[in-house]
Amino acid sequence: MTAQPPLPVAMVLDAVPLGLAGELVRDADGGGTVFLHGQTSFSWDAGDEAGRRWAAVKLAAMKAAGVGEIAAVFDVTPSTVWLWKQLLADGGIIALVPEKKGPKKASLLTGAVITRIVELRSTGLSQQAVGNAVGVSEFSVRRALKIAAEQATTDAADIAAAGNPEPLEPAPAVAQQRELPILPASAPRTAERAAASMLECAAPVFAPAAHIRHAGLFLAFPALETTGLLACAKEVYGALPNGFYGLETVLIDSVLRALAGEARAEGSTRFDPEELGRVLGLDRAPEVKTIRRRIGQLAESGKAQEMIAALAKHHLAGTGPGGEDLAAILYVDGHVRAYQGTKKIGRLYSTRLKFPVPATEETWVTDANGAPVFVVMAAPGASLAAELRDLLPELRTTVGDDRRVLVGFDRGGWSPALFKHMDAAGFDVLTWHKGTTEDIKEDLFKEVTHTDEHGQTRSWSVADTLVDLPLNTTKKTGEVFNIRQISRIVATTGGGTRQIHILTTDKDLPAGEVVYRMGNRWRQENQFRYARMHFELDSHDSYRSSDDNEDRMVPEPAKARAYQKVVAARRHHAEAAAVADLNLLALKTPAQGTDEVTVTSAMHNHVMAPVWEAENALAAAEKIHQGIPAKIRLGDLNPGQQVLDTEVKMIHTGIRMAAYNTAMTIAREIRTNTGYRRANQEAHALMRQMFHQSGDINTTEPGYLTITLDPLPTTAKTAAAAELCNHLTAAETRYPGSNLILKYAIKTKTPALIN
């Protein structure tokens, strides 16, 4: 009804306006009438206080006007209108009748009840839940909290007036209960923005606020600290040029956006800058242009690879979840990132897409759990074996000592000469045997077992032998490299069996663990897949490019095509020779009962003609193949080829590595430190749900930043989040750039959780 257009004039000349749709006419004897759109809607006589209050409550319920405006017209305060509304809801219209003068009944809000209400409210329960637990109304709970806060303030003022130089602070439980403002305006930072050119960065400043979005991202800070991203970046880069957004702010913003599903700079457009700014302690989070400019300033120093190396050293210096040495086992693999732009980028074969595409390639190193440790840009067209050889010195520097490290990789790194080189350099090889090899005798197979870090035991039937690999690259004929081989019998799709072989230079590692560690290499593939889905691993982040080195020697594609013709000619020659042998045999073997046949030269030449023709074709193909050089200048093969800028990409890669390791740490904490029954299946989904949860920021406790998350949809998830909050609070993590210690809690839905 109130949505109808208001009448242009009031129905009574001395009426008091009430919103856009109504007016109040006061009678001389104390009664009154409310008109809405010119029609009488509410009326009360002199002395009918219950009717007057009922009219005010109903006007507020209809939203005929704001509560403040209704209170002003009825000569009361807004809190009085809310009181009337609560009385009407609790006891009906009879509750609006004013109490008679005289002795009143004893108040339910005794000192003990008020203390109990304050204690329960400090646990994060809602006011309604506290009221249900204590046996009073929600309104009484609010009154009790107000009384407690006023009493604490009065006590502090009395102590100060008595001359105490250090007045006592209000009790933490009372301070906790002061109502937090819902989405207040962010603290103004105008002065700091005006003086940004003289600031290294703006320090985080937090104000109390309720129900802010993205509050769950605060959960990431204890795990983010363990990655060493902020410390390593500060060690390598020092600081960004003076500005409002400093180095720590830009990195934290990038990690939090990645955890929220928007790892690219363009993803910041999907966040309200003010809402994300509350998590950063700023009035606004940086936006796309600012992020690109500040990351570009880091890229100008050319220290991205140095930062990646510092992150790797920090990671390998720690220990794994079970206390294991993270540097003991590493996996290496290449990752092809397809390019869809218009620049002339060299083509690489993508195993995921199953065909050659314009792309760049990186060489990644992960630990035994699949967590990324180190990454370098691969040289265009380089093999994994060549990249491994070049990577060994950097790995040795990262490990920091001479201990032997087990390095696992797939068949792309196959090279017996590389195996010998790695063994001499203090690295143990773990890879699959490439090519055909003789099967191992079945009587050499025996049962072996291995128990993993989760206590799960697996068993396999394996044969542990030694094999000699020919070193084809050496000039010494017959030189071989002796290496350990672990063989298994596996089923094939056709219903049969076949043998697969694992090679390693580690002679002491149990055979069961060799099989387990080789299969564990798939954790690296899983890391690529997860990062591609949730952290936009395949994005390029920067499309700046430069000309490739045209004097660089690259494989000549024509030689590969010529070799395919040689292979076809050899196959055709073998087929022709087989047919000729059959024909000659038929000529020399007459039918039964016939005289012996003499094979003449003409007959022989006729049978052998296809063979001689195939020999000539083969010789011609081999001559053409030998005449083509193995490599050619890039400028002659593909003039104008370009390479994408890698510095910006490597900075973003370091950020994504930290975000990935942060997410894996939180998911692991959910699995190991909560009682969530489906944690093994849903830890990552629950983690992402927590990161997107809203909550409160409370700064009333000196030295602490308390984050209280809103309840999750189910009781089980809320209980798991509460356990995680307790575990993260025990870490006593300091919010970067401040002296505030992070504390976590979560609100509960039902009073049934009260002890």
Side-chain angles (χ1 to χ4, degrees), residues 363-408:
T363 303
W364 284 72
V365 180
T366 63
D367 64 18
N369 299 314
V373 174
F374 193 76
V375 59
V376 295
M377 295 300 300
S383 65
L384 180 59
E387 287 298 308
L388 269 169
R389 185 181 290 269
D390 295 338
L391 189 62
L392 293 181
E394 296 187 53
L395 286 182
R396 178 55 65 193
T397 301
T398 302
V399 172
D401 51 39
D402 295 332
R403 56 184 153 168
R404 295 190 71 84
V405 179
L406 183 66
V407 181

Side-chain angles (χ1 to χ4, degrees), residues 46-305:
D48 185 9
E49 183 63 18
R52 174 174 172 269
R53 296 178 178 182
W54 185 79
V57 172
K58 288 302 180 181
L59 287 169
M62 296 168 57
K63 299 183 179 180
V67 175
E69 189 174 3
I70 293 173
V73 170
F74 280 78
D75 297 326
V76 294
T77 62
S79 61
T80 301
V81 177
W82 288 114
L83 171 61
W84 292 345
K85 181 180 179 182
Q86 186 65 40
L87 291 173
L88 180 63
D90 292 344
I93 193 170
I94 192 66
L96 296 177
V97 178
E99 296 181 1
K100 294 181 179 180
K101 303 296 183 180
K104 298 182 179 180
K105 62 181 180 179
S107 173
L108 295 177
L109 297 180
T110 62
V113 172
I114 292 176
T115 301
R116 179 59 176 163
I117 288 174
V118 171
E119 291 176 353
L120 292 177
R121 181 63 173 154
S122 66
T123 64
L125 288 176
S126 66
Q127 293 178 356
Q128 183 64 54
V130 173
N132 294 339
V134 179
V136 298
S137 66
E138 182 182 1
F139 175 73
S140 297
V141 172
R142 288 201 297 269
R143 285 188 57 198
L145 296 176
K146 183 177 180 181
I147 291 171
E150 291 175 351
Q151 184 62 43
T153 303
T154 302
D155 293 345
D158 292 344
I159 293 173
N164 191 334
E166 297 181 359
L168 296 177
E169 297 178 356
V174 175
Q176 178 77 13
Q177 301 317 311
R178 295 177 180 172
E179 292 291 336
L180 298 176
I182 298 178
L183 299 179
S186 302
R189 312 294 291 271
T190 308
E192 291 169 289
R193 288 187 178 276
S197 61
M198 296 180 289
L199 291 176
E200 181 177 329
C201 67
V205 176
F206 297 94
H211 302 297
I212 69 164
R213 295 185 65 186
H214 315 304
L217 291 174
F218 280 101
L219 296 173
F221 284 96
L224 175 60
E225 185 179 37
T226 64
T227 67
L229 175 65
L230 303 182
C232 292
K234 191 171 183 180
E235 175 187 346
V236 173
Y237 292 107
L240 280 167
N242 287 351
F244 187 79
Y245 298 105
L247 177 62
E248 283 190 342
T249 301
V250 172
L251 295 178
I252 292 173
D253 168 74
S254 298
V255 170
L256 295 185
R257 280 190 292 101
L259 293 174
E262 298 293 343
R264 301 180 65 190
E266 292 83 350
S268 62
T269 60
R270 298 175 178 86
F271 293 88
D272 185 330
E274 292 187 6
E275 291 178 345
L276 188 56
R278 295 181 192 275
V279 184
L280 300 174
L282 303 174
D283 55 345
R284 293 176 66 87
E287 299 183 52
V288 178
K289 186 176 180 180
T290 302
I291 296 170
R292 286 177 174 169
R293 184 179 72 252
R294 299 302 262 176
I295 295 295
Q297 290 170 343
L298 291 178
E300 290 174 0
S301 65
K303 296 181 178 180
Q305 198 62 56

Side-chain angles (χ1 to χ4, degrees), residues 330 611 675:
L330 300 175
V611 178

Side-chain angles (χ1 to χ4, degrees), residues 622-643:
E622 290 177 340
K623 183 177 181 180
I624 293 174
H625 174 258
Q626 294 172 359
I628 298 176
K631 292 190 175 183
I632 188 176
R633 283 183 68 255
L634 176 63
D636 298 333
L637 176 65
N638 193 15
Q641 182 170 299
Q642 295 175 297
V643 292

Side-chain angles (χ1 to χ4, degrees), residues 302-437:
K303 296 181 178 180
Q305 198 62 56
E306 185 178 342
M307 186 187 77
I308 296 291
L311 284 172
K313 194 169 185 178
H314 175 88
H315 184 92
L316 296 182
T319 57
E324 68 271 18
D325 182 5
L326 292 175
I329 302 170
L330 300 175
Y331 296 106
V332 181
D333 197 9
H335 177 72
V336 175
R337 179 178 288 103
Y339 171 77
Q340 292 86 23
T342 59
K343 298 184 184 297
K344 195 174 183 180
I345 305 299
R347 289 179 172 270
L348 293 172
Y349 182 81
S350 172
T351 55
R352 184 170 64 90
L353 299 176
K354 306 300 182 185
F355 58 85
V357 292
T360 59
E361 188 174 16
E362 301 154 353
T363 303
W364 284 72
V365 180
T366 63
D367 64 18
N369 299 314
V373 174
F374 193 76
V375 59
V376 295
M377 295 300 300
S383 65
L384 180 59
E387 287 298 308
L388 269 169
R389 185 181 290 269
D390 295 338
L391 189 62
L392 293 181
E394 296 187 53
L395 286 182
R396 178 55 65 193
T397 301
T398 302
V399 172
D401 51 39
D402 295 332
R403 56 184 153 168
R404 295 190 71 84
V405 179
L406 183 66
V407 181
F409 48 91
D410 61 13
R411 292 179 177 88
W414 174 266
S415 171
L418 172 66
F419 303 162
K420 182 178 180 180
H421 174 74
M422 292 178 63
D423 184 57
F427 293 92
D428 285 318
V429 173
L430 180 65
T431 188
W432 296 105
H433 195 294
K434 184 177 181 180
T436 59
T437 184

Side-chain angles (χ1 to χ4, degrees), residues 652-716:
H652 282 282
T653 297
I655 293 172
R656 289 186 175 94
M657 289 168 57
Y660 179 90
N661 289 334
T662 298
M664 295 303 107
T665 300
I666 296 296
R668 184 168 56 249
E669 296 298 333
I670 292 174
R671 288 194 298 268
T672 58
N673 292 303
T674 71
Y676 191 55
R677 289 190 304 172
R678 293 189 57 80
N680 288 336
Q681 296 80 23
E682 300 178 1
H684 292 277
L686 180 58
M687 170 196 66
R688 291 191 293 271
Q689 191 171 12
M690 290 181 186
F691 284 156
H692 287 87
Q693 197 68 7
S694 59
D696 303 345
I697 296 179
N698 196 335
T699 58
T700 55
E701 187 176 356
Y704 289 92
L705 180 63
T706 303
I707 309 301
T708 306
L709 300 182
D710 292 334
L712 291 167
T714 66
T715 303

